[in-house]
Amino acid sequence: MAADGQASNMDNNLANGSSVAASAQPPRPGVLPRIQTRITTMAASKPYKAENNICHDDSSRPVKAQTIDELHSLQKKRSAPTTPIKQEVTAQSPTAFSTISEEERQRLQLQSISASLASLTRESGPKVVKGDPKRKSETPKAHEQHHQYFTPNISTSDSALKFTHILYNLSPAELYEQAIKYEHGSFITSSGALATLSGAKTGRSPRDKRVVIDENTTDELWWGKGSPNIEMDEHTFLVNRERAVDYLNSLDKVFVNDQFLNWDSENRIKVRIVSARAYHSLFMHNMCIRPTPEELENFGTPDFTIYNAGQFPCNRYTHYMTSSTSIDINLARKEMVILGTQYAGEMKKGLFSVMHYLMPKRGILSLHSGCNMGKDGDVALFFGLSGTGKTTLSTDHNRLLIGDDEHCWSDNGVSNIEGGCYAKCVDLSHDKEPDIFNAIKFGAVLENVVFDEHTREVDYSDKSVTENTRASYPIEYIPNAKIPCVGPHPKNVILLACDAFGVLPPVSKLTMAQTMYHFITGYTALVAGTEDGIKEPQATFSACFGAAFIMLHPTKYAAMLAEKMKKYGATGWLVNTGWCGGRYGVGSRIKLPYTRNIINAIHSGVLLNAEYTKTEIFGLEIPTVVEGVPSEILNPMNAWENKKLYKETLLKLAGLFKQNFEVFSKYKIGSDNKLTEEILAAGPNI
């Protein structure tokens, strides 16, 4: 009792702020002796602090939350809009600059999304609400109807009885969480990128792409032999649209992206992408232009909408369907439907096809090209098929990158269509492509790559899933990217070809007619491989260097290119990045440093004033001297030991060119056939 009393006295002394020294008492049997301490005076509102730094209590005030859920709610603060929406002057709204409430803004936004997801047969949009359905607090109660937008139901369905949760323009971090939690096969790699799988389809399905043919597109679009456009009727499109919309409305949640295409603000397109996977939403977040908060508040109705229901197949018994996959474009409705494929590249290239239709109507040339700009503002366009070096040569540390794949050329200059890059990853290394390698970090999407199960390090040489491994990342991840991605009118138009026959010169200056001819031809050669038993190179042609995506006849794009080149004084060049001294297997690949020296000479303008000679058959003008390039390879005939074999190979390739061009030769440009005749005359003369 004496010990208890002494402890009580010490507690009282502490409460009064006095220093206490416990007197030494002999310990009772089995009881530890009391520790001697000296405590300083403590203010009631301050933490305990010991003299001589014996001990220190760094505790702070307790959190305001009363429950663990309330504590979690304090972890994130709500993003608020930065600018009000301006209304038009009306009787109800007399002030031009009056604002609407945040609740009204949200209602209008959800109304627009509900209209996008409306069924055509039921003439109703789903009940939509923002937020993750897993968070029960975000699901509205039945009486909270002011948070949703409803249209009168003519025919009630099960989907009309539920809420569809809208995950709207989520950030990369939020999309990572969604993918990791709910999408099997999604992982974070060691570099911070999100690795995911595209399912059974690891590439585009061009044979399953359809375009609605109607009274307008019948005459406007390129149909028939050589065309990528396969027709479907309006009714079949609506059947597939209904299938996609019903599937998306049956889900607890869908992802909605509202973004832009084209960095030229006067000619940009508003696009809405509705998808079922976080992977698809993050991919398009990277590939399209990301709106600012101010732009998003005033986004309004989209100019084009994609319904990506790729996890759900189309009905193979539906007319025009040849498989369980269908990618359908309806230009009149400004809609695209994806069924039966989860490959994200279908969205990117589908929108590119749409731009190939919309932009020429405005007098703007859409281009499948890379584009960079020098320090003096000189812009160059790079056209080339896979394997020609388009990405490598357009990526130059001494020049700014405007874009790597899709561009527009208007009266304002050039502009990138996209907000990101979609790079091949097979055999990628830091030494080969340091900019691309370093861009694969947090926010990037890695498709179908293989990685170590423990370290999560990606093995880019592993092709177990597919050879078509890809990375999607925002263009600002490239250090020398020009933001905004616009530039003045191009000075040089460079057409790249990997000639495995070894008969085209490393560089040649083109006339305007030759530029149009080789632009329409879109030539490169597939290198022989032992896998399929090919012993010789195979020529391949893709009109406008992107036949799979163009909508109009190739000669229309070629005529626009020639018009703009003449108007703004651009020069055309044909650059061979393939073989010299013999075909593949006999000659040698033109060294990359030689090609870079050629490109640098084009940029600097040195080649404009060089001395030229003309080749036979193709009639190409080739310079006699290029600094840093052996003169003996500039004329391909000089590099061949067997001149007879060279001539035979040259004639063979020329024959392939003429055979390919037959499909275009009957198409007239303008009121007369004069321009068509000039283009034909610019081809090889056998």
Side-chain angles (χ1 to χ4, degrees):
M1 293 295 293
D4 294 338
Q6 187 173 1
S8 177
N9 290 335
M10 185 174 73
D11 291 340
N12 292 332
N13 291 333
L14 283 172
N16 294 327
S18 61
S19 298
V20 177
S23 59
Q25 298 288 339
R28 294 180 300 189
V31 179
L32 293 175
R34 182 181 295 275
I35 297 176
Q36 303 296 317
T37 60
R38 187 173 296 276
I39 303 175
T40 60
T41 303
M42 178 191 70
S45 62
K46 295 182 179 179
Y48 291 98
K49 186 174 183 181
E51 280 187 351
N52 302 325
N53 297 322
I54 296 174
C55 64
H56 173 66
D57 183 357
D58 61 353
S59 63
S60 59
R61 294 176 181 270
V63 295
K64 299 178 182 179
Q66 301 298 315
T67 66
I68 191 67
D69 289 338
E70 190 176 347
L71 176 60
H72 288 170
S73 71
L74 297 175
Q75 189 178 20
K76 295 179 289 186
K77 65 178 182 179
R78 186 176 181 182
S79 299
T82 55
T83 59
I85 293 179
K86 296 177 181 179
Q87 294 178 315
E88 296 181 359
V89 179
T90 63
Q92 293 77 20
S93 175
T95 306
F97 299 99
S98 60
T99 62
I100 63 175
S101 66
E102 172 62 16
E103 182 177 359
E104 178 67 7
R105 179 184 287 109
Q106 294 285 344
R107 188 191 70 80
L108 292 174
Q109 193 176 72
L110 290 176
Q111 175 180 331
S112 174
I113 295 172
S114 179
S116 293
L117 286 168
S119 164
L120 298 178
T121 56
R122 289 184 293 274
E123 299 184 10
S124 64
K127 301 174 184 178
V128 294
V129 61
K130 282 190 177 181
D132 190 338
K134 296 297 181 181
R135 297 173 185 170
K136 295 182 180 179
S137 61
E138 294 181 359
T139 303
K141 296 179 182 179
H143 66 274
E144 294 178 321
Q145 295 186 0
H146 60 277
H147 287 295
Q148 288 77 45
Y149 168 74
F150 301 97
T151 55
N153 282 324
I154 294 178
S155 176
T156 303
S157 66
D158 287 346
S159 62
L161 302 178
K162 60 178 279 294
F163 287 105
T164 299
H165 287 73
I166 304 300
L167 302 184
Y168 183 74
N169 274 48
L170 296 190
S171 67
E174 293 172 305
L175 291 169
Y176 266 55
E177 293 170 1
Q178 291 289 326
I180 297 299
K181 285 181 182 179
Y182 307 119
E183 296 181 12
H184 185 64
S186 297
F187 300 88
I188 301 176
T189 66
S190 59
S191 68
L194 179 70
T196 188
L197 295 172
S198 64
K201 298 294 179 70
T202 58
R204 291 184 300 104
S205 303
R207 295 181 181 178
D208 296 312
K209 181 181 174 183
R210 302 286 185 270
V211 181
V212 172
I213 186 169
D214 55 32
E215 58 182 7
N216 293 321
T217 58
T218 298
D219 298 324
E220 289 180 334
L221 301 193
W222 178 28
W223 305 101
K225 185 179 179 182
S227 169
N229 303 315
I230 305 174
E231 68 178 65
M232 75 184 310
D233 59 29
E234 171 86 5
H235 174 76
T236 305
F237 174 85
L238 295 179
V239 169
N240 283 354
R241 182 193 185 278
E242 191 77 354
R243 191 173 178 90
V245 168
D246 281 349
Y247 169 75
L248 292 168
N249 286 337
S250 72
L251 303 175
D252 288 335
K253 63 185 178 186
V254 294
F255 299 88
V256 176
N257 292 40
D258 280 349
Q259 296 182 253
F260 299 113
L261 295 178
N262 197 354
W263 283 83
D264 179 359
S265 58
E266 293 182 13
N267 295 292
R268 70 182 183 183
I269 301 297
K270 297 185 294 182
V271 293
R272 171 169 291 165
I273 303 99
V274 185
S275 59
R277 292 191 62 180
Y279 147 50
H280 291 150
S281 184
L282 180 56
F283 177 90
M284 295 306 283
H285 170 88
N286 290 343
M287 298 312 303
C288 295
I289 299 169
R290 293 157 290 283
T292 64
E294 294 86 352
E295 291 170 334
L296 200 58
E297 289 167 18
N298 296 282
F299 191 84
T301 303
D303 299 314
F304 199 87
T305 303
I306 292 180
Y307 300 97
N308 189 341
Q311 290 170 289
F312 198 66
C314 67
N315 186 341
R316 295 189 66 175
Y317 286 100
T318 304
H319 193 38
Y320 295 101
M321 299 299 102
T322 55
S323 74
S324 59
T325 299
S326 190
I327 303 99
D328 310 325
I329 295 176
N330 189 325
L331 295 170
R333 290 187 58 87
K334 302 176 183 178
E335 292 177 339
M336 175 179 175
V337 171
I338 299 175
L339 291 165
T341 174
Q342 298 179 59
Y343 181 65
E346 296 287 9
M347 294 182 288
K348 165 188 161 66
K349 291 305 185 183
L351 288 176
F352 190 31
S353 295
V354 172
M355 293 295 281
H356 269 310
Y357 174 76
L358 295 177
M359 291 298 102
K361 282 180 164 292
R362 302 185 182 186
I364 299 171
L365 177 60
S366 49
L367 301 165
H368 187 213
S369 69
C371 183
N372 65 23
M373 185 178 78
K375 297 176 182 177
D376 297 328
D378 58 298
V379 170
L381 294 173
F382 293 82
F383 294 89
L385 301 178
S386 179
T388 59
K390 181 185 70 171
T391 301
T392 301
L393 295 172
S394 61
T395 304
D396 187 335
H397 290 164
N398 296 317
R399 298 173 65 84
L400 296 175
L401 179 69
I402 293 177
D404 74 328
D405 196 41
E406 303 174 8
H407 293 87
C408 286
W409 188 352
S410 70
D411 290 337
N412 299 327
V414 292
S415 58
N416 191 347
I417 289 176
E418 301 179 295
C421 302
Y422 193 36
K424 291 183 178 179
C425 291
V426 61
D427 296 325
L428 178 67
S429 69
H430 186 274
D431 293 335
K432 290 181 180 178
E433 301 284 356
D435 287 344
I436 295 176
F437 189 91
N438 292 331
I440 301 175
K441 55 186 179 181
F442 181 83
V445 177
L446 278 171
E447 285 180 330
N448 303 314
V449 298
V450 177
F451 51 84
D452 185 277
E453 64 179 355
H454 175 60
T455 66
R456 297 293 196 265
E457 290 187 12
V458 178
D459 182 358
Y460 292 108
S461 64
D462 195 320
K463 307 166 189 173
S464 299
V465 179
T466 178
E467 288 191 11
N468 189 35
T469 52
R470 294 272 183 164
S472 163
Y473 49 86
I475 193 169
E476 56 264 30
Y477 282 15
I478 299 297
N480 63 327
K482 184 182 182 301
I483 307 296
C485 303
V486 296
H489 298 287
K491 286 181 60 179
N492 295 293
V493 174
I494 301 171
L495 311 181
L496 301 170
C498 178
D499 177 30
F501 291 89
V503 295
L504 292 183
V507 59
S508 53
K509 186 172 69 171
L510 303 175
T511 65
M512 193 61 66
Q514 286 176 326
T515 302
M516 296 176 71
Y517 179 89
H518 287 279
F519 176 71
I520 294 172
T521 299
Y523 162 71
T524 194
L526 299 177
V527 174
T530 55
E531 289 181 80
D532 50 13
I534 298 175
K535 296 181 180 180
E536 293 185 359
Q538 286 192 344
T540 182
F541 303 95
S542 182
C544 307
F545 293 92
F549 321 119
I550 61 177
M551 302 290 275
L552 312 180
H553 196 276
T555 53
K556 292 188 177 182
Y557 299 104
M560 291 184 70
L561 177 63
E563 179 186 356
K564 293 189 180 299
M565 289 178 67
K566 287 179 181 178
K567 185 175 182 179
Y568 301 108
T571 305
W573 306 88
L574 180 64
V575 174
N576 174 24
T577 62
W579 273 254
C580 65
R583 64 173 178 82
Y584 171 80
V586 178
S588 58
R589 184 88 186 251
I590 299 172
K591 295 181 180 179
L592 180 59
Y594 296 163
T595 304
R596 285 204 179 276
N597 288 335
I598 290 170
I599 298 297
N600 290 337
I602 292 173
H603 290 323
S604 66
V606 171
L607 285 188
L608 282 176
N609 302 316
E611 184 180 345
Y612 286 87
T613 61
K614 185 173 288 189
T615 66
E616 57 179 345
I617 307 299
F618 277 87
L620 299 171
E621 292 188 352
I622 56 176
T624 56
V625 177
V626 177
E627 186 178 352
V629 182
S631 57
E632 59 268 19
I633 74 169
L634 292 176
N635 189 329
M637 183 175 65
N638 296 336
W640 281 63
E641 292 184 7
N642 190 331
K643 308 301 182 186
K644 181 181 178 182
L645 183 58
Y646 163 79
K647 186 68 174 289
E648 292 175 354
T649 308
L650 180 64
L651 288 171
K652 178 180 179 180
L653 182 61
L656 294 173
F657 266 69
K658 291 185 75 68
Q659 180 181 348
N660 170 73
F661 212 83
E662 287 178 0
V663 69
F664 310 116
S665 60
K666 298 178 181 179
Y667 193 88
K668 293 184 179 181
I669 304 176
S671 57
D672 55 23
N673 206 29
K674 184 177 179 181
L675 186 55
T676 306
E677 292 172 356
E678 290 180 8
I679 296 174
L680 288 171
N685 183 18
I686 301 178

